[in-house]
Amino acid sequence: MRKIIFLLIALNCFAISLADINKAIENQEYSKVCNNLVYDLAVKNQDDGLMNLYGIACLRTDYINKLSAVIIALRNSKEARANAVYYSTILYKKKLLHSALVDNLDISSIKLPKCDYILSDIYDDYILGNYIKENDKYIFRYNDKIYEMSLRFDKPFTKMVLTILNSNNQILEVKEYW
């Protein structure tokens, strides 16, 4: 009996409510929303709106590989399917860019819709040749920022590393994709 009570208390400690999710979104605490508890809640309730919030949070925290589950789940309405296409485009651009850099795949003829995500801009400029290549780095410039894309060979994955610098070459952020 004690084990059952302990299990119920433990499960309640890890539960998340819609109010918690809305508060996290309002406070731009996206990592709290891009987690399995939120995903499971959205699937359980078949809630496309919650699933979309989960997808947006995963984009904002650069966990874009988690979008594959969102793409499959968003299918119940016209708006949900449109959001799934948006997430698919971002994920596809990432995969194509990775294959181009790692495997020398020619992606120059693959035109895809523009999205408001940095890898989308980099993909578009990569296929147009709008970058500078210095040694093993691909350098892109947007506004007052410099984006350096390089590869890091970590077994078992080769990762794309995006280093974001200001105009004084100070590192602002580093993002990794595989």
Side-chain angles (χ1 to χ4, degrees):
M1 184 66 163
R2 286 185 192 205
K3 288 181 182 180
I4 292 173
I5 293 171
F6 177 75
L7 181 61
L8 289 174
I9 291 170
L11 287 174
N12 282 332
C13 289
F14 294 108
I16 190 163
S17 70
L18 291 176
D20 294 334
I21 294 166
N22 286 330
K23 185 177 179 184
I25 292 289
E26 286 174 14
N27 294 334
Q28 298 181 357
E29 296 171 320
Y30 299 110
S31 61
K32 289 183 179 179
V33 180
C34 181
N35 71 55
N36 291 340
L37 292 174
V38 175
Y39 175 79
D40 292 343
L41 184 62
V43 169
K44 179 183 171 191
N45 295 331
Q46 295 184 356
D47 187 334
D48 286 343
L50 183 55
M51 186 63 72
N52 193 51
L53 284 178
Y54 172 81
I56 290 168
C58 292
L59 267 180
R60 298 276 171 93
T61 55
D62 292 313
Y63 292 124
I64 62 175
N65 288 340
K66 289 186 173 191
L67 294 177
S68 58
V70 175
I71 293 162
I72 293 167
L74 289 175
R75 63 180 181 269
N76 297 324
S77 69
K78 182 178 179 179
E79 182 181 72
R81 290 186 294 275
N83 288 334
V85 168
Y86 173 77
Y87 296 135
S88 297
T89 302
I90 291 170
L91 200 55
Y92 190 39
K93 283 184 171 186
K94 183 210 60 143
K95 292 299 284 181
L96 285 169
L97 189 58
H98 185 270
S99 291
L101 298 179
V102 173
D103 303 321
N104 290 325
L105 179 71
D106 180 12
I107 61 172
S108 61
S109 64
I110 305 173
K111 308 283 191 268
L112 296 168
K114 184 141 183 66
C115 300
D116 59 349
Y117 187 71
I118 188 59
L119 280 185
S120 179
D121 294 333
I122 288 173
Y123 175 89
D124 294 342
D125 282 343
Y126 179 84
I127 64 170
L128 294 173
N130 294 337
Y131 60 87
I132 298 168
K133 186 159 191 248
E134 288 182 3
N135 300 321
D136 62 342
K137 293 181 184 174
Y138 298 83
I139 301 169
F140 304 86
R141 295 181 189 275
Y142 303 106
N143 300 324
D144 60 343
K145 293 182 182 169
I146 302 164
Y147 295 80
E148 294 180 351
M149 181 68 77
S150 61
L151 297 175
R152 188 170 74 224
F153 302 96
D154 289 344
K155 296 207 182 230
F157 305 109
T158 301
K159 296 179 181 177
M160 292 187 304
V161 178
L162 181 61
T163 305
I164 304 167
L165 306 113
N166 65 16
S167 57
N168 297 327
N169 281 335
Q170 295 171 318
I171 296 176
L172 301 174
E173 189 175 0
V174 177
K175 303 175 183 232
E176 293 182 357
Y177 305 96
W178 60 90

